[in-house]
DNA sequence: AATGAATGAGACTTCATTCAT
DNA sequence: GATGAATGAAGTCTCATTCAT
């Protein structure tokens, strides 16, 4: 389902009780990810999820308190995968360059896990609790990144409070851009170059010091 | 309901047929705006809307083909009010300053029409047709503003395609910021100063030339 | 609509009150015939009929007590046209031959007035009063025909009561045959020859004396 | 409900899951038969059927895809009962005599299963799929009977194609006769003798060879 | 006589959740 | 723990008819 969670690929011969239990729960979870990712939360009825998972409807309630509980776990789970994915693809270059790398990695992740975009975008309304949890995760991590860049002198003149607002703007920008530019004819596509360059100009100039002198006009 | 459309404040003694018709449609429309704004699209059943409007359920279908048609009209309608509202509050200062004025006016509008935020945010899923229409309206208008600023020399180095991406980023930034900072304890509040300053720094430096020299450090 | 009722083909310049009244009623009637014939009684809502007729819904109730009243007039009206149509196509040959002519003329009428079949078949449930009226018309006329044939010696051995039963059988046979053999690919088609020959054998031998001697083996 | 399916006469103490399931489905089916038979398809709303069956509306959809699916099963199911019923009452006499037996048995069946007539007659419009299935069943079986009679020399001069038309005529005759003569004052009654004699004369003389010599005038 | 907006009952269907087996 | 039938509330939409203009 996600790059880091290799799909369970078949019934293993012998499982103890705990393993069987976890395995069933996992089947349901993966089924939900698949369905929400492809058809949206609204289509993710318990009937449909359990059918996809190959278990009975009643089984669902042995593993989750209710439908909402599962739905609220979806985004934070994948969100963590995303953070790890992006971190792994961010080098040790200048702060401004790193930000562009993160931006690109975000779109790479969308193509890697096509379910993510839909789960992210709809979560706000269909899984508000999970959405909030995800946002908190991202904001916390991102603000820390900005703080470090400020400590390193790559950012000046922004307070911690302003950093939070900046992170929301970055997330908003990515969210809207991904919706506009990640799809084409039903398929998930790479983001166009002019979008990357626009982001680069706006955010690099806006956020980072140009004491990485000269770079500004090189681009 | 909206700043420019003063609420019909009571049954006028005599209305001809056309007026009565329009008045009923308006009652339904306003009821829907109120309900979606307060409780979201999902709660905006025809039963609830017509009850709020004080008409029978069947009456709804004399004025709208179906529930979705009404829902899809909500956002574009208010969106136009918003554009007008912002335009009226934008002066003739430098382009960068105007952008900050627009940003502030956007948040003023949210407080003026508290329904807007929810209608905007949920429209993407519950009224996709209307959402798209609204986006098109905004992008068209906004790109034109940016082009004029470029013509005036206030923006350099951005192509038309990049402008479109920029507008999506601006909209995304506002959308996420408004969700984070416009509410407090259930009530709609003014956006904090540090959010405005963060936006100002990021966008002014990122988008506009500082050939309005020196200004950069004045702020 | 029917062969004998030439469609009113346009607004005549000046009509007095009575004529205008009749003209409106006629428009509604024709619209109903068209709709029921093409889409069935179930689809013939007052809204649809009046729309087709080009009048307002309320106008309907100036001319008909209610929807059912109109519906019940449809079949008897066309039924009379049918009787006349068949009579005109029945010669003065032997009684048995005349019956075959009537049978053929029935199918000719269906092709002439394609609305008839549907109106006839559905009337039993959607316009029972009209259906009964139509049946009575047909039975009365048909029994009289049979009686005359009996008087002429072409039929023996059937009582008046039996004649009524025979007429129901003839009508039933035609009804079922028309449903089975009058349509082909959506269009109304001529009835196949083997159907006519089957009818001819069954009814001629069954009903009429073969004192028209030898004929039986001629065919 | 039907002669061959004795009604389940009360909740049996212990039923396993499969049996309980079948029992519920059966309750719904029987309720529908009763309602359609007494009040017609149009009155057979899911609400009414489930109320009659003593189950919740939602339960209906655990057993039938939708309302139409059940409706379309009604006639073929009873139709099969009818065929069996008639076959059991048909002896080994001459072909012509057997046909009269079948005719009489048809009317006996109507009295045995009073729901049948209404279900049959309305099915054409309210359950066309089921109606077609029923017709096919009947035509197939009936044509075979006629073919065998022809093989035995009891019928001459009819082709297979003509047989099909004949069967439609027989069915039409029965259908119309049953509607006319099976009811009296709301109750289902035996068919009058003169109807039987009329059928006997028409069909015996029309269809069968009188090489069962002399018989013709014996009756 | 014509209009057409308003009415409101009632239809089918979906779905999260429960619970006996 | 797994099952899946049962539940019943709630949703959208249709339509014959009325009535003020």
């Amino acid at each position: 389902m996600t790059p880091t969670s290799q799909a369970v690929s078949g019934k293993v011969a012998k499982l103890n009780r705990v393993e069987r239990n976890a395995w069933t729960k996992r089947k349901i979870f993966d089924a939900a990810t698949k369905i929400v990712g492809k058809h949206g939360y609204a289509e993710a009825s318990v009937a449909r999820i359990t059918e996809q998972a190959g278990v009975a409807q009643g089984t669902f309630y042995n593993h989750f308190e209710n439908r909402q509980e599962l739905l609220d776990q979806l985004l934070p789970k994948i969100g963590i995968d995303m953070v790890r994915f992006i971190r792994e693809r961010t080098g040790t270059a200048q702060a401004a360059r790193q930000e562009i790398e993160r931006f690109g990695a975000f779109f790479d992740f969308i193509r890697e896990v096509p379910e993510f975009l839909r789960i992210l975008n709809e979560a706000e309304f269909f899984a508000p609790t999970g959405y909030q949890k995800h946002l908190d995760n991202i904001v916390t991590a991102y603000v820390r990144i900005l703080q470090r860049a400020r400590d390193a002198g790559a950012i000046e003149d922004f307070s911690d409070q302003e950093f939070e607002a900046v992170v929301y703007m970055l997330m908003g920008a990515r969210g809207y851009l991904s919706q506009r530019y990640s799809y084409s004819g039903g398929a998930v596509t790479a983001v166009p170059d002019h979008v990357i360059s626009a982001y680069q100009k706006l955010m690099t100039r806006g956020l980072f010091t140009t004491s990485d002198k000269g770079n500004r006009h090189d681009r």
Side-chain angles (χ1 to χ4, degrees), chain A:
Chain A
M1 201 84 311
T2 67
T4 58
S5 59
Q6 52 283 64
V8 179
S9 57
K11 211 167 198 159
V12 180
K14 284 289 178 198
L15 292 162
N16 64 29
R17 200 180 317 197
V18 172
E19 287 167 339
R20 254 189 74 78
N21 200 348
W23 183 60
T24 302
K25 183 164 185 173
R26 176 61 183 279
K27 276 194 300 181
I28 295 173
F29 199 93
D30 286 352
T33 303
K34 201 169 194 169
I35 289 172
V36 175
K38 201 180 291 186
H39 304 103
Y41 286 88
E43 302 294 313
S45 66
V46 173
R48 193 163 182 179
I49 292 171
T50 51
E51 189 197 28
Q52 167 83 31
V55 301
Q57 280 196 56
T59 303
F60 184 95
Y61 292 90
N62 291 331
H63 296 277
F64 299 93
E65 194 65 33
N66 53 39
R67 177 177 174 266
Q68 198 59 52
E69 188 196 305
L70 165 58
L71 261 33
D72 276 321
Q73 293 180 7
L74 250 34
L75 179 56
K77 183 86 167 355
I78 304 191
I80 287 170
D81 290 339
M82 181 194 71
V83 168
R84 190 185 311 121
F85 181 95
I86 291 178
R87 185 154 40 219
E88 286 168 358
R89 274 157 189 74
T90 309
T92 56
Q94 295 166 340
R97 169 148 224 90
Q98 281 187 27
E99 173 57 21
I100 305 307
E101 287 170 353
R102 280 191 293 273
F103 182 74
F106 172 78
F107 284 95
D108 291 343
F109 183 76
I110 287 172
R111 291 161 67 200
E112 201 84 20
V113 187
E115 290 90 358
F116 176 69
L117 207 47
R118 187 142 198 181
I119 291 175
L120 170 67
N121 287 326
E122 296 194 6
E124 184 181 345
F125 315 109
F126 293 102
T129 303
Y131 182 68
Q132 198 51 57
K133 199 168 173 184
H134 172 74
L135 280 196
D136 292 346
N137 289 344
I138 303 300
V139 170
T140 303
Y142 223 132
V143 165
R144 205 167 304 146
I145 288 174
L146 296 182
Q147 286 170 333
R148 271 199 287 261
R150 189 179 54 191
D151 293 346
I155 298 179
E156 292 174 351
D157 200 18
F158 279 88
S159 69
D160 281 357
Q161 278 191 315
E162 286 174 336
F163 273 161
E164 194 195 63
V166 166
V167 170
Y168 273 93
M169 286 190 264
L170 297 184
M171 290 192 301
R174 287 178 191 184
Y176 272 55
L177 288 175
S178 62
Q179 282 183 60
R180 168 67 182 82
Y181 297 107
S182 278
Y183 290 120
S184 178
V188 181
T189 61
V191 67
D193 280 343
H194 69 265
V195 173
I196 294 181
S197 66
Y199 185 84
Q200 184 174 15
K201 290 173 188 173
L202 192 62
M203 298 307 173
T204 301
R205 298 172 186 174
L207 193 53
F208 296 96
T209 59
T210 50
S211 59
D212 327 334
K213 55 211 79 117
N215 282 359
R216 184 168 177 181
H217 291 290
D218 295 346
R219 305 228 160 79

